[in-house]
Amino acid sequence: MDSFTQFALGATVGELAVGRKLGNRALLWGGALGTLPDLDVLVNPFVSEVQELAFHRGLSHSLFFCIAAAPLLGSLLAHLHRSDGVTRREGVLTVFLALSTHVALDLCTTYPTQLLQPFSDATFALSAIFIIDPLYTLPLVAGLVAALRRERTDRRRRRAVLRGLGVCTLYLLLTLVNKQHVSGVFARALAAQGHTYERLHTAPTPFNNLLWVGLADDGEGYRVGLYSLLDEAPPRAFLRLEKNQALLAPFLDDPPVRRLIWFSDGYYAVSRRGDSLFFSDLRFARDDLWLTGEGASVFRFLLERAPEDSTRIAGFRRHPPALRPDAALLRCFGRRLLGAVIPPGGCAAARSDAAGSG
C-alpha cells in the first residue's frame, strides 16, 4: 500500500502496543517502523532497473526480516524509553507488529512481495485491494485523529484507534471475499461462452473495490473483461489481447528478460514500435482503465539492446504512458463502476466524441 497508509497502520500499532507509556511518541515510533520496509527504495539511485525490480519488496518485506529485526530494534526502543517504563518485550512486540502488518497489507495488493527471502525469490500477491484505497485508509486516520485529542491515559484514546483498526480490517476481509466472488463470476462467464484458459487473474481497478478486471490467460493471449459488484449480470463480452511471445523468443535467455517474466508472473504482452520492443505487465492499471481497448500499461518497460550486440537484451527502462486527466474517460469509468452496461472498447467512442467536440 501507499506509504501514508502504512504510516497510519504503523502508528495505530504503536499506540496499541505502548501508547499508554509513550503517548503521541508511540504514534511516531509506530509510523516510522511501519514505513521502514519501504525504505528499500533508497537504494534505487545506486542500482540498475533490473536490480531495483528484484530488490523492492524483497528482503525488507520478508518474514525473516520481521523476525530478525524485531529483537534488535525492539531492544533499542526499550533502551531509549526505559525511563518511561517500556520493557524489552514491549519494544520487540511493537517492532514485530509494525513490520509484519506492513508486509501483510502489502501482500493483499498486486505488486509481488518476496515473503521467503533470502531463502527463496518466490513472489506472493493476493491482488484483493488496490495499492491506494481511501476506504481502507480513512478509518485508520480517523482513529488516530481522535486519539491525538486525548491524554495518553484516557481509555477513549485506545478505543478510538481500535475502532479505526477494526473497521479497516473488516473492509480488508471484505476485499478478500470480493476477490473470491469475482474470480468465480469470471470463471463461470468464460465457461458459458466456451473460452478455455490456463489460469485467471483478477484485480480491482484503481481506488475502489467495486470494479474488477479479469485476465484469462490461454498461453497465446488473454480474454480481458470488466465486472462491477453492482452489475446485474456476469460479463458478456471480452477483449482479446495477444501476448506476442514470438517477439520475445530470441531473448528468453537474457537475464533482464527473465527478470521481467518473473516479476510479471507471466502476465505480460510484448509490442513493437519501430525497432523498439516494449514489455507490459498486464496485472496493473492501464491509462485507459481497460475501457477503450487501446491503452498502455503503467508498468511498461522498454527493452534495451546491448550496444555491442543487438541480438541481446542488456537491460530495460520503465516507460509508463503519459497519464493525463480525461474527463470523458473518467465519466465512463464512473458509469461502468456503478454497473452501467458498456461493451469492451465502448468508451473509445466517448473519448473520440469529446475530442471532436473540443
PDB file of all heavy atoms in Angstrom, residues 111-135:
ATOM      1  N   TYR A 111       1.271  -5.859  -6.401  1.00  0.00           N
ATOM      2  CA  TYR A 111       2.722  -5.820  -6.555  1.00  0.00           C
ATOM      3  C   TYR A 111       3.337  -7.011  -5.809  1.00  0.00           C
ATOM      4  O   TYR A 111       3.033  -7.238  -4.635  1.00  0.00           O
ATOM      5  CB  TYR A 111       3.281  -4.511  -5.997  1.00  0.00           C
ATOM      6  CG  TYR A 111       4.684  -4.187  -6.468  1.00  0.00           C
ATOM      7  CD1 TYR A 111       4.889  -3.276  -7.500  1.00  0.00           C
ATOM      8  CD2 TYR A 111       5.791  -4.792  -5.902  1.00  0.00           C
ATOM      9  CE1 TYR A 111       6.168  -2.964  -7.942  1.00  0.00           C
ATOM     10  CE2 TYR A 111       7.073  -4.506  -6.338  1.00  0.00           C
ATOM     11  CZ  TYR A 111       7.255  -3.582  -7.355  1.00  0.00           C
ATOM     12  OH  TYR A 111       8.536  -3.289  -7.798  1.00  0.00           O
ATOM     13  N   PRO A 112       4.213  -7.777  -6.451  1.00  0.00           N
ATOM     14  CA  PRO A 112       4.736  -9.006  -5.826  1.00  0.00           C
ATOM     15  C   PRO A 112       5.581  -8.746  -4.589  1.00  0.00           C
ATOM     16  O   PRO A 112       6.408  -7.846  -4.561  1.00  0.00           O
ATOM     17  CB  PRO A 112       5.572  -9.646  -6.951  1.00  0.00           C
ATOM     18  CG  PRO A 112       5.898  -8.535  -7.882  1.00  0.00           C
ATOM     19  CD  PRO A 112       4.745  -7.585  -7.819  1.00  0.00           C
ATOM     20  N   THR A 113       5.359  -9.561  -3.566  1.00  0.00           N
ATOM     21  CA  THR A 113       6.087  -9.497  -2.300  1.00  0.00           C
ATOM     22  C   THR A 113       6.860 -10.800  -2.107  1.00  0.00           C
ATOM     23  O   THR A 113       6.314 -11.883  -2.240  1.00  0.00           O
ATOM     24  CB  THR A 113       5.111  -9.287  -1.130  1.00  0.00           C
ATOM     25  OG1 THR A 113       4.376  -8.079  -1.333  1.00  0.00           O
ATOM     26  CG2 THR A 113       5.854  -9.200   0.194  1.00  0.00           C
ATOM     27  N   GLN A 114       8.145 -10.665  -1.777  1.00  0.00           N
ATOM     28  CA  GLN A 114       9.012 -11.838  -1.641  1.00  0.00           C
ATOM     29  C   GLN A 114       9.097 -12.246  -0.164  1.00  0.00           C
ATOM     30  O   GLN A 114      10.074 -11.978   0.526  1.00  0.00           O
ATOM     31  CB  GLN A 114      10.395 -11.536  -2.217  1.00  0.00           C
ATOM     32  CG  GLN A 114      10.363 -11.158  -3.697  1.00  0.00           C
ATOM     33  CD  GLN A 114      11.711 -10.697  -4.211  1.00  0.00           C
ATOM     34  OE1 GLN A 114      12.693 -11.428  -4.165  1.00  0.00           O
ATOM     35  NE2 GLN A 114      11.752  -9.465  -4.697  1.00  0.00           N
ATOM     36  N   LEU A 115       8.084 -12.921   0.288  1.00  0.00           N
ATOM     37  CA  LEU A 115       7.959 -13.267   1.703  1.00  0.00           C
ATOM     38  C   LEU A 115       9.095 -14.160   2.209  1.00  0.00           C
ATOM     39  O   LEU A 115       9.439 -14.099   3.392  1.00  0.00           O
ATOM     40  CB  LEU A 115       6.638 -13.983   1.948  1.00  0.00           C
ATOM     41  CG  LEU A 115       5.355 -13.164   1.996  1.00  0.00           C
ATOM     42  CD1 LEU A 115       4.179 -14.098   2.206  1.00  0.00           C
ATOM     43  CD2 LEU A 115       5.415 -12.121   3.089  1.00  0.00           C
ATOM     44  N   LEU A 116       9.665 -14.972   1.337  1.00  0.00           N
ATOM     45  CA  LEU A 116      10.592 -16.005   1.787  1.00  0.00           C
ATOM     46  C   LEU A 116      12.055 -15.647   1.579  1.00  0.00           C
ATOM     47  O   LEU A 116      12.930 -16.504   1.733  1.00  0.00           O
ATOM     48  CB  LEU A 116      10.275 -17.327   1.069  1.00  0.00           C
ATOM     49  CG  LEU A 116       8.843 -17.838   1.240  1.00  0.00           C
ATOM     50  CD1 LEU A 116       8.658 -19.148   0.507  1.00  0.00           C
ATOM     51  CD2 LEU A 116       8.482 -17.982   2.716  1.00  0.00           C
ATOM     52  N   GLN A 117      12.344 -14.420   1.212  1.00  0.00           N
ATOM     53  CA  GLN A 117      13.744 -14.000   1.123  1.00  0.00           C
ATOM     54  C   GLN A 117      14.412 -14.147   2.492  1.00  0.00           C
ATOM     55  O   GLN A 117      13.760 -13.979   3.511  1.00  0.00           O
ATOM     56  CB  GLN A 117      13.826 -12.539   0.656  1.00  0.00           C
ATOM     57  CG  GLN A 117      13.605 -12.341  -0.821  1.00  0.00           C
ATOM     58  CD  GLN A 117      14.808 -12.758  -1.653  1.00  0.00           C
ATOM     59  OE1 GLN A 117      15.818 -13.265  -1.150  1.00  0.00           O
ATOM     60  NE2 GLN A 117      14.706 -12.565  -2.944  1.00  0.00           N
ATOM     61  N   PRO A 118      15.700 -14.457   2.576  1.00  0.00           N
ATOM     62  CA  PRO A 118      16.661 -14.685   1.488  1.00  0.00           C
ATOM     63  C   PRO A 118      16.747 -16.136   1.038  1.00  0.00           C
ATOM     64  O   PRO A 118      17.685 -16.512   0.341  1.00  0.00           O
ATOM     65  CB  PRO A 118      17.972 -14.272   2.156  1.00  0.00           C
ATOM     66  CG  PRO A 118      17.805 -14.692   3.581  1.00  0.00           C
ATOM     67  CD  PRO A 118      16.346 -14.458   3.903  1.00  0.00           C
ATOM     68  N   PHE A 119      15.759 -16.938   1.398  1.00  0.00           N
ATOM     69  CA  PHE A 119      15.817 -18.370   1.092  1.00  0.00           C
ATOM     70  C   PHE A 119      15.172 -18.716  -0.245  1.00  0.00           C
ATOM     71  O   PHE A 119      15.454 -19.757  -0.820  1.00  0.00           O
ATOM     72  CB  PHE A 119      15.148 -19.151   2.221  1.00  0.00           C
ATOM     73  CG  PHE A 119      15.651 -18.782   3.583  1.00  0.00           C
ATOM     74  CD1 PHE A 119      14.874 -18.021   4.448  1.00  0.00           C
ATOM     75  CD2 PHE A 119      16.923 -19.154   3.996  1.00  0.00           C
ATOM     76  CE1 PHE A 119      15.340 -17.661   5.704  1.00  0.00           C
ATOM     77  CE2 PHE A 119      17.402 -18.798   5.246  1.00  0.00           C
ATOM     78  CZ  PHE A 119      16.606 -18.052   6.096  1.00  0.00           C
ATOM     79  N   SER A 120      14.293 -17.848  -0.725  1.00  0.00           N
ATOM     80  CA  SER A 120      13.613 -18.091  -1.997  1.00  0.00           C
ATOM     81  C   SER A 120      13.171 -16.762  -2.574  1.00  0.00           C
ATOM     82  O   SER A 120      12.816 -15.832  -1.836  1.00  0.00           O
ATOM     83  CB  SER A 120      12.392 -18.995  -1.773  1.00  0.00           C
ATOM     84  OG  SER A 120      11.590 -19.052  -2.928  1.00  0.00           O
ATOM     85  N   ASP A 121      13.196 -16.668  -3.917  1.00  0.00           N
ATOM     86  CA  ASP A 121      12.717 -15.444  -4.568  1.00  0.00           C
ATOM     87  C   ASP A 121      11.284 -15.619  -5.074  1.00  0.00           C
ATOM     88  O   ASP A 121      10.826 -14.860  -5.933  1.00  0.00           O
ATOM     89  CB  ASP A 121      13.642 -15.022  -5.712  1.00  0.00           C
ATOM     90  CG  ASP A 121      13.707 -16.067  -6.825  1.00  0.00           C
ATOM     91  OD1 ASP A 121      13.081 -17.135  -6.689  1.00  0.00           O
ATOM     92  OD2 ASP A 121      14.397 -15.801  -7.833  1.00  0.00           O
ATOM     93  N   ALA A 122      10.571 -16.589  -4.533  1.00  0.00           N
ATOM     94  CA  ALA A 122       9.157 -16.762  -4.878  1.00  0.00           C
ATOM     95  C   ALA A 122       8.375 -15.510  -4.497  1.00  0.00           C
ATOM     96  O   ALA A 122       8.652 -14.870  -3.474  1.00  0.00           O
ATOM     97  CB  ALA A 122       8.586 -17.986  -4.158  1.00  0.00           C
ATOM     98  N   THR A 123       7.413 -15.144  -5.328  1.00  0.00           N
ATOM     99  CA  THR A 123       6.620 -13.938  -5.078  1.00  0.00           C
ATOM    100  C   THR A 123       5.184 -14.310  -4.723  1.00  0.00           C
ATOM    101  O   THR A 123       4.671 -15.346  -5.158  1.00  0.00           O
ATOM    102  CB  THR A 123       6.614 -13.013  -6.311  1.00  0.00           C
ATOM    103  OG1 THR A 123       6.043 -13.709  -7.433  1.00  0.00           O
ATOM    104  CG2 THR A 123       8.032 -12.565  -6.651  1.00  0.00           C
ATOM    105  N   PHE A 124       4.561 -13.428  -3.941  1.00  0.00           N
ATOM    106  CA  PHE A 124       3.197 -13.650  -3.480  1.00  0.00           C
ATOM    107  C   PHE A 124       2.412 -12.355  -3.635  1.00  0.00           C
ATOM    108  O   PHE A 124       2.916 -11.271  -3.303  1.00  0.00           O
ATOM    109  CB  PHE A 124       3.187 -14.093  -2.016  1.00  0.00           C
ATOM    110  CG  PHE A 124       3.978 -15.349  -1.751  1.00  0.00           C
ATOM    111  CD1 PHE A 124       5.345 -15.272  -1.495  1.00  0.00           C
ATOM    112  CD2 PHE A 124       3.365 -16.580  -1.769  1.00  0.00           C
ATOM    113  CE1 PHE A 124       6.083 -16.417  -1.252  1.00  0.00           C
ATOM    114  CE2 PHE A 124       4.096 -17.745  -1.531  1.00  0.00           C
ATOM    115  CZ  PHE A 124       5.456 -17.655  -1.273  1.00  0.00           C
ATOM    116  N   ALA A 125       1.183 -12.460  -4.121  1.00  0.00           N
ATOM    117  CA  ALA A 125       0.322 -11.288  -4.276  1.00  0.00           C
ATOM    118  C   ALA A 125      -1.128 -11.755  -4.324  1.00  0.00           C
ATOM    119  O   ALA A 125      -1.496 -12.529  -5.218  1.00  0.00           O
ATOM    120  CB  ALA A 125       0.674 -10.509  -5.534  1.00  0.00           C
ATOM    121  N   LEU A 126      -1.952 -11.296  -3.391  1.00  0.00           N
ATOM    122  CA  LEU A 126      -3.347 -11.704  -3.358  1.00  0.00           C
ATOM    123  C   LEU A 126      -4.215 -10.886  -4.307  1.00  0.00           C
ATOM    124  O   LEU A 126      -5.309 -11.321  -4.682  1.00  0.00           O
ATOM    125  CB  LEU A 126      -3.891 -11.590  -1.929  1.00  0.00           C
ATOM    126  CG  LEU A 126      -3.225 -12.504  -0.903  1.00  0.00           C
ATOM    127  CD1 LEU A 126      -3.823 -12.272   0.485  1.00  0.00           C
ATOM    128  CD2 LEU A 126      -3.368 -13.965  -1.299  1.00  0.00           C
ATOM    129  N   SER A 127      -3.769  -9.695  -4.668  1.00  0.00           N
ATOM    130  CA  SER A 127      -4.491  -8.838  -5.627  1.00  0.00           C
ATOM    131  C   SER A 127      -5.943  -8.623  -5.217  1.00  0.00           C
ATOM    132  O   SER A 127      -6.858  -8.722  -6.031  1.00  0.00           O
ATOM    133  CB  SER A 127      -4.424  -9.430  -7.041  1.00  0.00           C
ATOM    134  OG  SER A 127      -3.097  -9.540  -7.490  1.00  0.00           O
ATOM    135  N   ALA A 128      -6.154  -8.308  -3.948  1.00  0.00           N
ATOM    136  CA  ALA A 128      -7.511  -8.109  -3.441  1.00  0.00           C
ATOM    137  C   ALA A 128      -7.849  -6.645  -3.223  1.00  0.00           C
ATOM    138  O   ALA A 128      -9.033  -6.289  -3.140  1.00  0.00           O
ATOM    139  CB  ALA A 128      -7.707  -8.873  -2.135  1.00  0.00           C
ATOM    140  N   ILE A 129      -6.838  -5.785  -3.122  1.00  0.00           N
ATOM    141  CA  ILE A 129      -7.067  -4.366  -2.857  1.00  0.00           C
ATOM    142  C   ILE A 129      -6.099  -3.541  -3.691  1.00  0.00           C
ATOM    143  O   ILE A 129      -4.957  -3.960  -3.921  1.00  0.00           O
ATOM    144  CB  ILE A 129      -6.901  -4.065  -1.345  1.00  0.00           C
ATOM    145  CG1 ILE A 129      -7.367  -2.641  -1.007  1.00  0.00           C
ATOM    146  CG2 ILE A 129      -5.473  -4.300  -0.889  1.00  0.00           C
ATOM    147  CD1 ILE A 129      -7.434  -2.376   0.493  1.00  0.00           C
ATOM    148  N   PHE A 130      -6.573  -2.408  -4.184  1.00  0.00           N
ATOM    149  CA  PHE A 130      -5.702  -1.532  -4.961  1.00  0.00           C
ATOM    150  C   PHE A 130      -4.688  -0.880  -4.033  1.00  0.00           C
ATOM    151  O   PHE A 130      -4.937  -0.724  -2.832  1.00  0.00           O
ATOM    152  CB  PHE A 130      -6.525  -0.459  -5.685  1.00  0.00           C
ATOM    153  CG  PHE A 130      -5.739   0.304  -6.714  1.00  0.00           C
ATOM    154  CD1 PHE A 130      -5.318  -0.308  -7.881  1.00  0.00           C
ATOM    155  CD2 PHE A 130      -5.409   1.631  -6.504  1.00  0.00           C
ATOM    156  CE1 PHE A 130      -4.578   0.394  -8.828  1.00  0.00           C
ATOM    157  CE2 PHE A 130      -4.678   2.344  -7.435  1.00  0.00           C
ATOM    158  CZ  PHE A 130      -4.262   1.726  -8.600  1.00  0.00           C
ATOM    159  N   ILE A 131      -3.549  -0.496  -4.587  1.00  0.00           N
ATOM    160  CA  ILE A 131      -2.445  -0.001  -3.772  1.00  0.00           C
ATOM    161  C   ILE A 131      -2.795   1.287  -3.023  1.00  0.00           C
ATOM    162  O   ILE A 131      -2.194   1.605  -1.989  1.00  0.00           O
ATOM    163  CB  ILE A 131      -1.192   0.194  -4.644  1.00  0.00           C
ATOM    164  CG1 ILE A 131       0.054   0.276  -3.772  1.00  0.00           C
ATOM    165  CG2 ILE A 131      -1.347   1.383  -5.568  1.00  0.00           C
ATOM    166  CD1 ILE A 131       1.347   0.181  -4.553  1.00  0.00           C
ATOM    167  N   ILE A 132      -3.781   2.023  -3.516  1.00  0.00           N
ATOM    168  CA  ILE A 132      -4.320   3.188  -2.787  1.00  0.00           C
ATOM    169  C   ILE A 132      -5.831   3.012  -2.725  1.00  0.00           C
ATOM    170  O   ILE A 132      -6.499   3.017  -3.764  1.00  0.00           O
ATOM    171  CB  ILE A 132      -3.973   4.520  -3.475  1.00  0.00           C
ATOM    172  CG1 ILE A 132      -2.462   4.708  -3.591  1.00  0.00           C
ATOM    173  CG2 ILE A 132      -4.589   5.698  -2.716  1.00  0.00           C
ATOM    174  CD1 ILE A 132      -2.059   5.951  -4.372  1.00  0.00           C
ATOM    175  N   ASP A 133      -6.363   2.841  -1.537  1.00  0.00           N
ATOM    176  CA  ASP A 133      -7.801   2.655  -1.380  1.00  0.00           C
ATOM    177  C   ASP A 133      -8.259   3.487  -0.181  1.00  0.00           C
ATOM    178  O   ASP A 133      -8.027   3.118   0.970  1.00  0.00           O
ATOM    179  CB  ASP A 133      -8.135   1.176  -1.157  1.00  0.00           C
ATOM    180  CG  ASP A 133      -9.637   0.906  -1.238  1.00  0.00           C
ATOM    181  OD1 ASP A 133     -10.417   1.779  -0.819  1.00  0.00           O
ATOM    182  OD2 ASP A 133     -10.023  -0.176  -1.716  1.00  0.00           O
ATOM    183  N   PRO A 134      -8.911   4.611  -0.436  1.00  0.00           N
ATOM    184  CA  PRO A 134      -9.326   5.506   0.657  1.00  0.00           C
ATOM    185  C   PRO A 134     -10.211   4.834   1.694  1.00  0.00           C
ATOM    186  O   PRO A 134     -10.171   5.204   2.874  1.00  0.00           O
ATOM    187  CB  PRO A 134     -10.077   6.630  -0.067  1.00  0.00           C
ATOM    188  CG  PRO A 134      -9.545   6.610  -1.470  1.00  0.00           C
ATOM    189  CD  PRO A 134      -9.254   5.172  -1.763  1.00  0.00           C
ATOM    190  N   LEU A 135     -11.025   3.862   1.286  1.00  0.00           N
ATOM    191  CA  LEU A 135     -11.928   3.220   2.235  1.00  0.00           C
ATOM    192  C   LEU A 135     -11.175   2.396   3.263  1.00  0.00           C
ATOM    193  O   LEU A 135     -11.720   2.107   4.342  1.00  0.00           O
ATOM    194  CB  LEU A 135     -12.944   2.349   1.499  1.00  0.00           C
ATOM    195  CG  LEU A 135     -13.993   3.103   0.681  1.00  0.00           C
ATOM    196  CD1 LEU A 135     -14.990   2.129   0.077  1.00  0.00           C
ATOM    197  CD2 LEU A 135     -14.717   4.146   1.529  1.00  0.00           C
TER     198      LEU A 135
END
